[in-house]
Amino acid sequence: MLNVDTIKNGLVIDHICAGYGLKIFQWLGLDKAKFSSALIMNVTSKKSGRKDIIKIDNNINIDYSVLGFIDANITVNIIKDEKIIKKIKMELPDKVESVVKCKNPRCITTTEPYVPQIFRLVDKNESLYRCQYCDSLYKAGNITELMERADNE
């Protein structure tokens, strides 16, 4: 039997696509944190079959637009005194800035590193974003590229 303590004050990131939990855990820096956190992987889910969950026994700042960009099905539960006081349902943001890198070698963001990487949502059903400068398309939810960018910075 798996037993993870109750969160007193903090966050529970729920409904993470199975397999994305570890990358999000690392992106949030929880693998180096000085407070308690738990990553629970491949939990049975009625909605999606399998999911990952992250429990954080601390209040930390999270860029919700990035979480929505990674997986629009994520829910963040804010916990106070061991009770859920607020649920935040992620959604695809209209714009993401400096989250992923444009792959087009002729894009100005490739040749001029000071220019911010900006992508705008163009198709919500397909989760497609377009580079503001060169019109290259990018599909949201590709956490591997997000992590590659974080590793290179």
Side-chain angles (χ1 to χ4, degrees):
M1 175 75 179
L2 177 67
N3 186 20
V4 177
D5 285 340
T6 304
I7 300 298
K8 291 174 180 52
N9 294 298
L11 305 169
V12 175
I13 304 172
D14 199 359
H15 306 289
I16 302 169
C17 179
Y20 281 18
L22 180 59
K23 297 283 190 183
I24 293 172
F25 194 83
Q26 292 168 333
W27 173 72
L28 291 171
L30 297 173
D31 53 333
K32 297 173 185 81
K34 302 287 187 213
F35 49 83
S36 296
S37 58
L39 168 61
I40 308 160
M41 299 175 67
N42 289 318
V43 177
T44 303
S45 169
K46 291 177 185 172
K47 273 185 181 178
S48 58
R50 307 302 268 169
K51 68 179 180 177
D52 293 349
I53 302 170
I54 298 173
K55 290 186 166 192
I56 307 164
D57 199 14
N58 194 7
N59 289 309
I60 63 171
N61 290 326
I62 295 177
D63 187 341
Y64 293 124
S65 65
V66 175
L67 278 183
F69 183 72
I70 293 169
D71 184 352
N73 295 313
I74 290 175
T75 302
V76 176
N77 298 316
I78 300 174
I79 312 294
K80 185 173 183 184
D81 299 323
E82 298 183 6
K83 293 187 178 11
I84 297 173
I85 61 165
K86 186 175 184 181
K87 284 187 176 232
I88 304 170
K89 177 79 173 105
M90 296 300 103
E91 56 185 43
L92 289 172
D94 292 330
K95 174 179 108 170
V96 290
E97 186 172 331
S98 300
V99 174
V100 291
K101 190 173 183 179
C102 185
K103 296 282 187 185
N104 181 352
R106 292 183 291 182
C107 182
I108 189 168
T109 60
T110 304
T111 59
E112 304 294 339
Y114 61 87
V115 177
Q117 304 272 337
I118 300 172
F119 288 82
R120 298 200 182 274
L121 182 63
V122 292
D123 188 333
K124 197 170 194 167
N125 294 330
E126 295 293 322
S127 304
L128 286 178
Y129 285 79
R130 187 176 302 280
C131 175
Q132 176 173 297
Y133 307 103
C134 71
D135 292 335
S136 291
L137 290 175
Y138 182 88
K139 186 161 179 66
N142 189 339
I143 194 165
T144 304
E145 287 190 28
L146 176 70
M147 293 306 294
E148 285 173 3
R149 180 174 176 87
D151 290 341
N152 291 331
E153 290 181 349

